[in-house]
Amino acid sequence: MKVQRLPIDPSIADDDLAGVPQGSYVGRSNLLAGIVNDEFPSLLINGHIDVVPAEGPAQEREPFEPGRVGDRLYGRGADDLKGEIATANLALQAISTETPQFLLYPLALQAVG
């Protein structure tokens, strides 16, 4: 896969439609890896790689102490997409080994901040 680093325009922090910036975007990038040709990807796997800051308003639980309540897991990283992005990457590796003809079509894996 071809990997590209896509810089984040720092002015995005001033866009009301872009959410609440958690920090400066200076020097930060999104990543795009893909099998590229002149077509748009037929499959785009997208996930975020940023985290919510642990500082801020009072929280119900200590963020750095994982815990379980019933069938729910709480704590930093319990619900983010880093594991899903890693799993998607492993799945694409497995597909390239078992069914390489699938990877003849344009596809991309995107990790965004």
Side-chain angles (χ1 to χ4, degrees), residues 40-97:
F40 287 104
S42 57
L43 174 64
L44 172 64
I45 302 167
N46 180 47
H48 70 89
I49 54 174
D50 57 337
V51 296
V52 177
E55 307 82 31
Q59 302 178 22
E60 289 182 33
R61 306 184 59 80
E62 185 61 39
F64 294 103
E65 296 196 19
R68 187 178 202 160
V69 177
D71 61 353
R72 293 184 181 220
L73 180 65
Y74 292 88
R76 301 277 297 168
D79 184 25
D80 62 27
L81 288 175
K82 290 167 202 65
E84 286 83 346
I85 290 174
T87 301
N89 187 42
L90 292 172
L92 291 173
Q93 288 178 3
I95 289 168
S96 72
T97 300

Side-chain angles (χ1 to χ4, degrees), residues 9-64:
D9 183 344
S11 69
I12 194 73
D14 298 327
D15 187 336
D16 292 337
L17 298 176
V20 178
Q22 303 296 324
S24 172
Y25 288 107
V26 174
R28 295 180 64 192
S29 300
N30 295 322
L31 296 177
L32 179 65
I35 297 172
V36 183
N37 61 24
D38 292 336
E39 301 175 40
F40 287 104
S42 57
L43 174 64
L44 172 64
I45 302 167
N46 180 47
H48 70 89
I49 54 174
D50 57 337
V51 296
V52 177
E55 307 82 31
Q59 302 178 22
E60 289 182 33
R61 306 184 59 80
E62 185 61 39
F64 294 103

